[in-house]
């Protein structure tokens, strides 16, 4: 059984999260991914911890499975020549060096496209390769702040907050993956590769979706609403007798059903609350009335009633509960694999479920230079043969 991308070779000169996350997805889908680092290993996440297992960081393991690894000194002529030789038989190159760095190495797109015109070349930077900020370094935290994401996360009491994960890195990795696959599909028709210029800043702004659209239409600067929704009510957390529950009412019929199970049918007929725009307008009054009822029963009570009446709801789970969730276990969202240094490791599985070419855990996250003999050694043999 082969992967969907098993004919594709990816040369991965990225590190930390956005680039490695992208190439891990490509590797999960069957591509041969070759991770390139400086001698000794230059991906910073190898040292980001704890936790570590026998010196291997959990952070590094999270984004580097299904890859091979070589070490190359890009500041040396020999190192640059190795990359150029690999480019001849690669489909994709991805890097996240600062703007201009690859050109200084002698590995810019124009140079490599002459060697392999079919190459799809993806550059990930903080701010993109054009514009006044093109040379500025970009990190997820900074991008969350600058893009407006932090201004709408949290509440009045907390002030601006970042998300719990490096969300702009993750989203940038996904956008890069989409763009690369689109360029590979287009190459089937044109026979030519192309360059992708992907920026964390652009990605973060695109993630504003409805909040950004709200501002563009109204001119009103959005504020942080905590667990409330800017355009839908009731769509938030509620305190119950023993904790909190998430209620996500998406339409007027669901609101009527919610009022029925809460025994407050009069609210569904109240002119202030009959439609979603009215509920948004009268948010404060409605939430106060609903909260008074939610607080009288256990979370499990409301969860059972909501599920029985097709009202979207859910508990707020911690990581232990998530890992032991029968639904996620049934979907193979947690996997185990042997690692030569860390031993048996546990990882989050892939959400991509393909029927004919399923994702497979083929390769453990590699140690630095683990495949030097296989890949660089093969190049040396080929050159001698030539």
């Amino acid at each position: 059984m082969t992967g969907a991308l098993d004919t594709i070779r990816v040369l991965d000169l990225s590190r930390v999260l956005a680039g490695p996350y992208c190439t891990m997805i490509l590797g999960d889908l069957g591509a041969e991914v070759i991770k390139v680092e400086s001698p000794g290993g230059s991906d910073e996440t190898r040292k980001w911890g704890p936790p570590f297992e026998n010196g291997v960081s959990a952070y590094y393991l999270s984004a580097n499975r299904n890859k091979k690894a070589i070490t190359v000194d890009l500041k040396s002529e020999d190192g640059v020549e190795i990359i150029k030789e690999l480019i001849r038989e690669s489909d994709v190159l991805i890097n996240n060096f600062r703007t201009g760095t690859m050109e200084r190495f002698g590995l810019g797109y124009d140079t490599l496209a002459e060697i392999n015109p079919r190459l799809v070349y993806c550059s990930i930077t903080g701010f993109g390769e054009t514009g006044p900020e093109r040379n500025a370094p970009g990190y997820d935290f900074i991008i969350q702040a600058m893009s407006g994401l932090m201004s709408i996360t949290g509440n009045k009491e907390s002030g601006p907050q970042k998300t719990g994960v490096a969300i702009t890195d993750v989203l940038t990795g996904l956008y890069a993956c989409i763009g690369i696959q689109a360029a590979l599909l287009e190459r089937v028709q044109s026979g030519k590769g192309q360059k992708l210029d992907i920026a964390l800043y652009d990605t973060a702004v695109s993630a504003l979706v409805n909040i950004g659209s709200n501002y563009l239409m109204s001119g009103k600067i959005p504020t942080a609403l905590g667990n409330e929704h800017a355009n839908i009510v009731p769509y938030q957390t509620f305190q119950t007798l023993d904790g909190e529950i998430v209620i996500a009412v998406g339409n007027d019929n669901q609101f009527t059903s919610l009022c029925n199970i809460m025994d407050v049918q009069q609210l569904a007929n109240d002119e202030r609350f009959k439609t979603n725009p009215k509920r948004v307008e009268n948010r404060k009054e409605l939430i106060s009335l609903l909260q008074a009822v939610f607080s009288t029963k256990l979370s499990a009570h409301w969860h059972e009633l909501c599920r029985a009446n097709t009202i979207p709801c859910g508990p707020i789970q911690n990581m232990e509960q998530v890992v032991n969730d029968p639904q996620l276990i049934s979907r193979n969202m947690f996997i185990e694999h042997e690692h030569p240094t860390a031993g048996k490791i546990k990882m989050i599985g892939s959400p991509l479920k393909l029927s004919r070419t399923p994702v497979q855990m083929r390769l453990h996250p590699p140690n630095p230079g683990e495949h030097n003999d296989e890949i660089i050694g093969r190049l040396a043999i080929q050159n001698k043969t030539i």
Side-chain angles (χ1 to χ4, degrees), residues 56-130:
V56 181
S57 80
Y59 199 125
Y60 171 75
L61 294 176
S62 73
N64 285 286
R65 65 169 175 257
N66 283 332
K67 303 177 186 182
K68 299 177 180 178
I70 62 173
T71 49
V72 173
D73 182 1
L74 296 181
K75 296 179 181 179
S76 71
E77 290 184 9
D78 288 345
V80 170
E81 285 306 310
I82 289 172
I83 299 301
K84 288 181 177 179
E85 285 299 315
L86 288 170
I87 284 297
R88 297 182 192 279
E89 50 189 43
S90 296
D91 300 281
V92 178
L93 179 142
I94 182 168
N95 81 90
N96 62 351
F97 291 111
R98 287 173 65 175
T99 299
T101 301
M102 288 289 282
E103 286 74 15
R104 288 193 291 275
F105 288 148
L107 296 171
Y109 172 68
D110 292 339
T111 299
L112 298 186
E114 287 185 7
I115 297 172
N116 181 358
R118 291 173 56 82
L119 180 68
V120 173
Y121 184 112
C122 180
S123 172
I124 295 176
T125 57
F127 296 91
E129 295 196 348
T130 60

